[in-house]
Amino acid sequence: MEEHHNYDARHMDSHPTPEEEPGEDMAPDRESIRRVVTLVGAPALLFILGIIFQTDLHDTPHAWAEYAVFLAAYFLAGGSIVWTAIRNLLRGEFFDENFLMTVATAGAIAIHQMSEAVGVMLFYRIGEFFQDLAIGRSRRSIEALTDIRPDYANLKVGDDVRQVFAKDVEVGQIIVVKPGERIPLDGRIVQGTSFVDTSALTGESVPKKVEANETVLSGMVNGDGLLEIKVEKGYAGSSISRILDLVQNASARKAKTEQFITKFSRYYTPIVTFGAVGLAIIPPLIIPGASFETWIYRALILLVISCPCALVVSIPLGYFAGLGSISRHGILVKGANFLEALTELHTVVFDKTGTLTKGVFRVIDVMTRNGFSRDELLRYAALAEVNSNHPIAKSIIEAYGRGVEANKVAEYQEISGHGIRARVNGDEVIAGNDRLMHREDIEHDSCDVAGTVVYVAVNRVFAGYIIISDEIKPDAVAAIQALRELRVKRIMMLTGDDQAVAEKVAERLGLDGYFAELLPEDKVKKLEDLESTLNRRDGQKLAFVGDGINDAPVIMRADVGIAMGGLSSDAAIEAADVVLMEGMPSRLGAAIKIARFTKRIVIQNISLALAVKMAFIALGAIGVATMWEAVFADVGVAILAILNSTRALGKA
């Protein structure tokens, strides 16, 4: 069964066939049917014939026929296992489950327990069949994502539209998306209005209205409008390609539980092997009347019972199923280790803008100073911000309400955590927060303005300030409530925004605390301070949730870094361990629930396997359990654990 132990989703690139529709998750495909007929059906038939005629053949001149029937069934069912064991031995790889199965069944044949030897291999193959079904179901839940990446795009060239491969479209070109088509590449709408179905990316079934100048992502399905989209990211960098890459590589990262079982098996199997040797040799030497045949048989039973298949198979499968389930909810987890870390969250720290608040800013007031008019102040600020993608910059440009000519701006410089310096028609313009005014030693009379404020200075003369508002996401309240219900002990906020704004948001959401007016490096320091208060021996973990490029260092520093969806900065998504594709903070609660459910399943599998095996090892050692009970203890428990693992796929 060695070939099935690496559930690396990177090798699952094929598209699902019609036989693999979601409604047929547990239905075997043609290859599975062929395998089960070859590896189970034929040996099972020979096995039944052997049992029926075993007594008739055993004590006759035709006894060789008994061996012929049973050995044919044995090698049909277990030939690959025997070959794998021999190959591993030649490589110096001892004591895996193939070795245990081969030694146990070969010993059974040697003491003429033919039917039991074949039964072990046969039921082992049946266990493999159920395992294949379970893996196939988990695989299909992930492979189904490949359907949401279109292979072609309608490229507009002049007045003509021609169909091309999506990977051949370059950034800056215009594509046309017709009603009912899936958007192939990320871009900005240049013409058209429509409703788009975002469920493939976010899990949200309610269509979203989009119009000119709005960003749309690959994988969304266009509704009833015709859209012309200017491509902003190439095929490899599109949202859906990033999703597929994240999901397909997630299973390569092992959870702590998986790592423990790998180490456990490394010691467990040799101990069992030498224990079986001792059981076969020592009792006959020290117990009067004890026969070697009896104790060798008990030792072989011990070897069969002790195969660690249920542990080796079901635990990674459980996490794999959990990763598949969580991806269907619009949540991408980059590895089983991060899925497990979500179960241990003690502290969750949120960024404010774009995470707890909408990040959709609106200018609500303009206050002028030193003879500047309202129009002049907005014009200078809009020109200074024209090259910025920050929502505050966009709100100022929108408030100005006229075309802004970027060619009038020179020497543009973003000052991290402070603002912008630029030269506009020869005038030096500085626009940013209160800290920037103090840093540049510009006299201003308005340091304690409540709200998000952009201060503007022209040629080092204070021109006034612009007050901007940002709304709290309706979903943010539900997010905090969900985390409280999940017994997350501490919920904090870090923001570079004004103290008064941060206090208002923290109070409305009922946070345990906040830190405001932080530079990116200050956020990292505050996060480290919060981490230092955790009890690491109890496994307490900290998560940071953010969306901006300035959040990337903090996201990387946290135990679990979480980025807010497809519209987050690329840097934040690349740095994150978890991506909430819908951009809704409440999805974190759903992620934690699925992660905890998956962890419970894994613990159940471990407990079941160890409890049953220990019980049957004891029974086998004293001669109560036969080889058939050993088969149940090995293959039966493996099947139960595998079926239990697939429950993670259905977690809502």
Side-chain angles (χ1 to χ4, degrees):
M1 212 153 86
E2 173 189 70
E3 67 272 21
H4 298 295
H5 291 166
N6 181 14
Y7 306 109
D8 191 335
R10 286 174 292 185
H11 303 297
M12 301 175 188
D13 294 328
S14 61
H15 289 267
T17 64
E19 291 85 12
E20 298 176 328
E21 290 299 315
E24 301 175 3
D25 280 342
M26 290 299 286
D29 56 20
R30 290 180 186 141
E31 178 63 19
S32 296
I33 293 172
R34 186 189 65 79
R35 279 174 54 84
V36 80
V37 168
T38 304
L39 300 177
V40 177
L45 180 61
L46 290 171
F47 175 64
I48 293 169
L49 290 173
I51 290 177
I52 293 172
F53 297 105
Q54 184 175 16
T55 304
D56 296 334
L57 295 172
H58 184 65
D59 297 320
T60 70
H62 304 289
W64 61 269
E66 177 190 4
Y67 282 91
V69 171
F70 278 119
L71 288 178
Y74 177 82
F75 283 107
L76 277 173
S80 63
I81 295 169
V82 175
W83 169 242
T84 301
I86 295 171
R87 187 178 58 193
N88 288 348
L89 282 172
L90 294 175
R91 292 175 179 170
E93 299 173 8
F94 302 96
F95 307 127
D96 65 356
E97 64 272 17
N98 297 289
F99 171 81
L100 292 178
M101 293 288 293
T102 301
V103 171
T105 54
I109 292 171
I111 61 174
H112 206 268
Q113 298 294 331
M114 306 284 288
S115 61
E116 295 182 347
V118 176
V120 169
M121 287 298 190
L122 184 59
F123 285 106
Y124 190 83
R125 282 301 186 189
I126 292 172
E128 275 196 323
F129 175 65
F130 280 102
Q131 174 191 314
D132 287 344
L133 290 182
I135 293 171
R137 186 180 179 192
S138 299
R139 179 189 292 120
R140 283 189 288 273
S141 74
I142 290 177
E143 282 185 337
L145 286 171
T146 60
D147 273 350
I148 66 177
R149 178 168 59 182
D151 294 324
Y152 71 90
N154 302 313
L155 180 64
K156 186 175 183 179
V157 182
D159 293 329
D160 296 328
V161 176
R162 65 170 183 262
Q163 194 174 97
V164 299
F165 287 113
K167 62 184 180 181
D168 294 333
V169 178
E170 297 179 1
V171 173
Q173 291 185 310
I174 304 296
I175 58 174
V176 176
V177 181
K178 301 172 184 177
E181 288 185 332
R182 199 176 290 275
I183 297 172
L185 300 160
D186 294 5
R188 189 171 296 277
I189 297 172
V190 294
Q191 186 173 323
T193 302
S194 186
F195 284 88
V196 292
D197 177 359
T198 67
S199 58
L201 295 174
T202 67
E204 176 58 52
S205 59
V206 178
K208 174 186 175 184
K209 184 179 180 181
V210 293
E211 52 192 17
N213 294 320
E214 289 195 52
T215 298
V216 288
L217 305 177
S218 58
M220 294 178 175
V221 178
N222 185 23
D224 55 1
L226 185 71
L227 298 177
E228 291 189 11
I229 300 169
K230 183 176 182 180
V231 175
E232 293 186 334
K233 291 180 182 176
Y235 186 72
S238 65
S239 294
I240 202 58
S241 293
R242 288 208 310 267
I243 290 173
L244 292 172
D245 181 64
L246 293 179
V247 174
Q248 289 175 347
N249 286 283
S251 63
R253 292 179 172 139
K254 286 188 175 183
K256 286 188 299 183
T257 307
E258 290 181 87
Q259 294 168 354
F260 164 75
I261 291 301
T262 301
K263 293 177 182 177
F264 173 80
S265 297
R266 199 174 298 153
Y267 297 101
Y268 166 82
T269 309
I271 290 171
V272 165
T273 303
F274 290 119
V277 172
L279 187 65
I281 296 174
I282 297 173
L285 296 177
I286 64 175
I287 299 175
S291 70
F292 276 99
E293 182 177 348
T294 299
W295 287 97
I296 288 173
Y297 181 68
R298 293 182 184 182
L300 295 175
I301 291 172
L302 175 63
L303 289 177
V304 174
I305 294 171
S306 302
C307 285
C309 306
L311 297 173
V312 174
V313 172
S314 66
I315 292 169
L317 178 58
Y319 281 111
F320 189 36
L323 290 167
S325 175
I326 208 167
S327 68
R328 294 207 310 267
H329 288 76
I331 305 161
L332 303 180
V333 181
K334 294 185 181 180
N337 52 335
F338 301 121
L339 191 68
E340 185 165 283
L342 284 171
T343 68
E344 302 169 331
L345 291 184
H346 172 278
T347 300
V348 175
V349 184
F350 288 94
D351 172 50
K352 182 182 76 68
T353 305
T355 303
L356 294 174
T357 62
K358 291 182 178 180
V360 179
F361 291 86
R362 182 172 56 87
V363 173
I364 60 172
D365 207 352
V366 179
M367 306 300 293
T368 60
R369 295 290 189 273
N370 297 319
F372 285 88
S373 67
R374 182 182 188 279
D375 191 63
E376 285 177 316
L377 179 59
L378 280 174
R379 178 174 173 274
Y380 276 117
L383 282 166
E385 301 274 12
V386 69
N387 292 310
S388 174
N389 288 320
H390 196 282
I392 289 177
K394 293 176 181 177
S395 71
I396 292 173
I397 294 169
E398 184 180 343
Y400 180 54
R402 290 167 234 176
V404 181
E405 300 174 13
N407 60 0
K408 293 184 177 180
V409 181
E411 300 177 20
Y412 176 85
Q413 176 190 6
E414 286 199 17
I415 305 168
S416 180
H418 290 79
I420 288 169
R421 183 202 309 274
R423 192 160 291 280
V424 177
N425 285 338
D427 294 322
E428 183 192 49
V429 178
I430 297 172
N433 55 28
D434 181 62
R435 291 194 303 273
L436 182 58
M437 296 296 106
H438 286 286
R439 169 180 158 157
E440 298 296 325
D441 199 23
I442 294 172
E443 290 187 11
H444 58 296
D445 60 357
S446 311
C447 292
D448 299 318
V449 179
T452 301
V453 180
V454 176
Y455 296 85
V456 181
V458 180
N459 295 325
R460 309 196 65 78
V461 176
F462 184 50
Y465 59 88
I466 302 168
I467 303 175
I468 298 166
S469 71
D470 182 18
E471 295 180 52
I472 293 176
K473 289 182 177 180
D475 182 68
V477 178
I480 305 305
Q481 182 179 351
L483 293 176
R484 297 287 186 206
E485 292 173 355
L486 291 165
R487 299 184 301 281
V488 173
K489 303 299 183 184
R490 185 170 55 180
I491 305 172
M492 305 287 290
M493 181 177 70
L494 302 182
T495 179
D497 211 340
D498 180 84
Q499 182 82 16
V501 174
E503 182 179 5
K504 185 177 179 181
V505 171
E507 184 179 334
R508 286 186 58 187
L509 293 176
L511 304 181
D512 295 318
Y514 67 92
F515 297 97
E517 300 181 2
L518 300 176
L519 300 175
E521 57 268 28
D522 296 331
K523 287 186 177 182
V524 174
K525 180 65 171 63
K526 289 296 182 185
L527 192 83
E528 290 173 345
D529 291 343
L530 291 170
E531 281 187 328
S532 67
T533 65
L534 299 177
N535 187 338
R536 293 300 191 180
R537 283 180 295 183
D538 288 346
Q540 294 179 351
K541 296 283 194 298
L542 179 147
F544 179 82
V545 189
D547 74 320
I549 190 169
N550 63 320
D551 292 327
V554 208
I555 287 173
M556 293 184 70
R557 181 64 184 81
D559 295 319
V560 184
I562 302 170
M564 292 293 292
L567 295 178
S568 289
S569 74
D570 289 345
I573 290 177
E574 290 301 318
D577 308 312
V578 178
V579 183
L580 309 179
M581 287 308 301
E582 197 172 351
M584 294 174 64
S586 65
R587 289 290 184 184
L588 178 56
I592 294 172
K593 286 180 182 177
I594 295 173
R596 289 182 179 177
F597 184 72
T598 302
K599 180 74 175 286
R600 283 199 299 272
I601 285 175
V602 169
I603 297 301
Q604 288 167 6
N605 287 344
I606 293 173
S607 303
L608 173 69
L610 292 180
V612 173
K613 284 183 181 296
M614 291 304 104
F616 276 89
I617 284 173
L619 293 173
I622 62 175
V624 175
T626 67
M627 191 71 80
W628 293 111
E629 280 88 353
V631 170
F632 170 77
D634 176 39
V635 180
V637 172
I639 292 173
L640 291 175
I642 288 165
L643 294 177
N644 190 41
S645 295
T646 62
R647 291 169 55 223
L649 285 169
K651 180 62 178 173

